[in-house]
Amino acid sequence: MIKINENFKKMKPNYLFSNIAKKVAKYQEENPDKKIIKMGIGDVTRPLPKVCTQAMKKAADELENAETFRGYGPEQGYDFLREKILENEYKDLGIDKDEIFISDGAKCDCGNIVDIFAKNNKIAITDPVYPVYLDTNIMAGRTGICKDNGMYENVIYIPMTEENNFVPLLPKEVPDIIYLCFPNNPTGTVLTKDELKVWVDYARKNKSIILFDAAYCAFIEEENIPKSIYEIEGAKDVAIEFKSYSKTAGFTGVRCAYVVIPKTVKGYDENGNVEDLNSMWNRRVCTKFNGVSYIVQRAAEAIYTKEGMKEVKDNINYYKENAKIILETLKECGIKAYGGKNSPYIWLKVPNSGKSWDFFDTLLEKVNIVGTPGEGFGPSGEGYFRLTAFNTKENTIEAMERLKNFLSK
Ligand SMILES: *Cc1c(COP(=O)(O)O)cnc(C)c1O
């Protein structure tokens, strides 16, 4: 008889975005003439830089000829891409080529990384949070069940709210694995170098590890905000970093990302012996993965050309312009809002101390705008709401006009 992984039963039955999709589909079916503007899901809308699609076509042509054909590539990724990453993202940070592993997405990386850690590690997540960190640990059996307050047993929740200005405070109980994501999804807020250093020092003191998700680093415009955790002194001993081309270069459908595991990051076995996490991850990658396609890695390489960098920057500025429009409108309407500066996400406080899902329904039905209820990202997200800057400028302007009109009534 086939036994299932019982941990799956601990998962909440519906994924946040499928709930939203159902509500939107129902409303649209009942109101076919209404134009709904979607500012919910974190997917990009700007097309790929042309140098990237051209690099893909060229790579495809190479595969047509026996002389230039390529089969399996290195599991860790091609050197041509790893070298470009070092040069452009980790200059002067002392990272080594074989500390970089190319993958097909930061979501998979964040989910797969738990393979190399013992089941009895205690995890800490910020609340609200990108759901992948929590759900993959539920599946792996590292949590208890979900309590009535919406929190899982055996997980340390670190609230990020207005009260602490969205800067996570050190928890009372010491975690083994700490998930941090900055610029943050969903709140759009950032940490300064000093604020992040507090966490690096804490991890060093406690022999914990920080899993640092920097998927939105390209949106950072302020000087003292770290684009990589390795800008913080001492982080190379305690942090693994995840980066992705999805939100930065429009690769959500193309799929390419990478994880950085310095050889100096250590874990400990049951007897307290030191183990090298870079080797463990390398072993895992070679066992379960056969690399990202050659075509896609050539496309990623092209991002680092002069034209590629310019197009990426233009696209990011396009989204940021939208974020600015949203922030300004919310301010005019007297709605408190956070993020949106070094990030494509705007995290707003639901007016009149309202609930996230009620605000979702109101926006959908009265203004025909779709956003994401903060509660869907964790209990501390209740009372907040996420809007994204990933729509077109025209739609963003229209949505904000509608919102202004609705709220002034
Ligand atoms: C979108 C997103 C990712 C996923 O990126 P992929 O590379 O497309 O898998 C990872 N982390 C956060 C916080 C994200 O919002």
Side-chain angles (χ1 to χ4, degrees), residues 153-172:
E153 286 173 351
N154 207 34
V155 173
I156 299 170
Y157 286 77
I158 304 168
M160 287 216 308
T161 59
E162 268 186 332
E163 284 73 48
N164 52 33
N165 207 20
F166 300 94
V167 176
L169 299 173
L170 298 175
K172 287 195 193 79

Side-chain angles (χ1 to χ4, degrees), residues 1 34 46 51 53 112 115 123 129 140 149 163-164 166 223 259 287 296 298 318 338 364 367 385 388:
M1 190 170 61
K34 293 281 202 274
R46 305 292 299 158
V51 275
T53 53
N112 290 333
D115 272 11
I123 68 155
V129 75
N149 62 5
E163 284 73 48
N164 52 33
F166 300 94
E223 261 300 303
V259 49
T287 301
V296 165
R298 282 293 183 200
Y318 180 96
Y338 304 89
L364 174 62
V367 204
F385 198 80
T388 84

Side-chain angles (χ1 to χ4, degrees), residues 42 104-108 110 130 133 181 185 213 215-216 243-247 251-252 255-257 345:
D104 59 349
K107 190 189 210 176
C108 329
C110 291
Y130 178 59
Y133 316 143
C181 171
N185 180 6
D213 187 340
Y216 296 92
K243 286 196 182 184
S244 167
Y245 297 111
S246 283
K247 317 297 171 26
F251 272 49
T252 51
R255 313 302 307 143
C256 197
Y345 296 126

Side-chain angles (χ1 to χ4, degrees), residues 223-235:
E223 261 300 303
N224 62 336
I225 311 297
K227 289 193 167 136
S228 160
I229 194 168
Y230 305 118
E231 290 174 35
I232 312 299
E233 198 195 327

Side-chain angles (χ1 to χ4, degrees), residues 23 348-363 372-376 379 381-386:
K23 276 184 178 252
L348 65 89
K349 188 90 206 268
V350 177
N352 308 317
S353 309
K355 297 244 184 210
S356 303
W357 278 103
D358 293 342
F359 192 64
F360 175 89
D361 291 335
T362 306
L363 277 197
T372 314
E375 191 268 340
E382 178 58 282
Y384 294 90
F385 198 80
R386 191 188 75 175

